[in-house]
Amino acid sequence: MNGDRAHPLLQQTALSVNPFVDLPKAPTLPHNYASIPSTLPPSIVNSPPVQSNPELPAYVTSSSGFAAHPRTIISQSKSLLEQIEKQRKDAQRQVNEWEQSMRDRELAEKRRKAPGWLDTEDRILQPEKPKAEMADPGISLMDEPAEAGVPDAPRRDKQVDDLGAAMDRAFGRSELG
């Protein structure tokens, strides 16, 4: 814009009135209206100090009579947070100790039921591997050992005899008859 003159494009635009726009009106004052006092009250920044912290003015006041400086309130809030955090850590430590004592009691009960078993760190039993399996890992336990030139019947009888001898060693010899 140049001084009082409008832009040439704006001069060519037609002016229209919007029925939805209301112009502001002067407010109606209530009957109990009181004007603002001509003098302001004294600043609370220069208020007298409280007994809890005499160096700082107590300009945060409540209706109950509590008065303090914001730094005092912040320091009290921080100390309250520290106390709550300490109590939370103590409670967590007590819960952990309680859970550990429960685990210890359960382990002691299990040791009474199976003495010697839970006294060592060896908790997994593994059978010893036969010597033949250790020599050739490609042989399955389900496979029968193949002997060259021997028919199947004697080999099965030998296996039955071995099984009977193993049972006699385990349970003692029993005589039928």
Side-chain angles (χ1 to χ4, degrees):
M1 289 176 133
N2 297 336
D4 292 338
R5 291 185 41 152
H7 193 273
L9 287 176
L10 290 176
Q11 289 176 349
Q12 297 174 9
T13 307
L15 182 63
S16 63
V17 177
N18 188 348
F20 301 106
V21 175
D22 292 330
L23 295 176
K25 298 176 185 170
T28 306
L29 297 175
H31 61 61
N32 60 355
Y33 172 74
S35 63
I36 297 177
S38 60
T39 61
L40 293 175
S43 172
I44 53 176
V45 174
N46 298 327
S47 62
V50 273
Q51 297 84 10
S52 62
N53 197 348
E55 301 105 37
L56 302 172
Y59 61 86
V60 176
T61 58
S62 69
S63 60
S64 66
F66 175 77
H69 190 271
R71 286 190 213 149
T72 307
I73 295 171
I74 290 171
S75 67
Q76 289 173 351
S77 299
K78 285 182 181 178
S79 65
L80 180 63
L81 282 174
E82 289 171 0
Q83 180 185 2
I84 289 172
E85 182 64 23
K86 180 182 175 288
Q87 288 176 346
R88 187 194 65 78
K89 286 181 181 178
D90 289 345
Q92 185 65 38
R93 181 184 47 77
Q94 288 176 345
V95 166
N96 290 342
E97 288 174 0
W98 176 68
E99 288 174 347
Q100 183 63 38
S101 70
M102 285 179 28
R103 286 192 291 269
D104 292 344
R105 278 183 283 166
E106 288 175 2
L107 183 61
E109 182 64 27
K110 289 176 184 176
R111 284 181 175 158
R112 271 186 239 115
K113 290 180 182 176
W117 170 253
L118 294 173
D119 295 334
T120 63
E121 293 298 319
D122 300 331
R123 296 224 170 41
I124 298 174
L125 294 179
Q126 291 182 338
E128 289 186 13
K129 297 180 180 180
K131 304 290 184 213
E133 182 182 337
M134 294 168 91
D136 188 9
I139 298 174
S140 172
L141 291 176
M142 298 301 290
D143 294 339
E144 293 181 12
E147 297 178 14
V150 179
D152 287 342
R155 185 175 57 184
R156 290 181 193 250
D157 289 339
K158 181 181 176 192
Q159 184 180 10
V160 169
D161 289 341
D162 289 342
L163 183 61
M167 301 245 329
D168 286 341
R169 283 192 305 272
F171 300 109
R173 188 155 181 91
S174 63
E175 298 290 329
L176 295 176

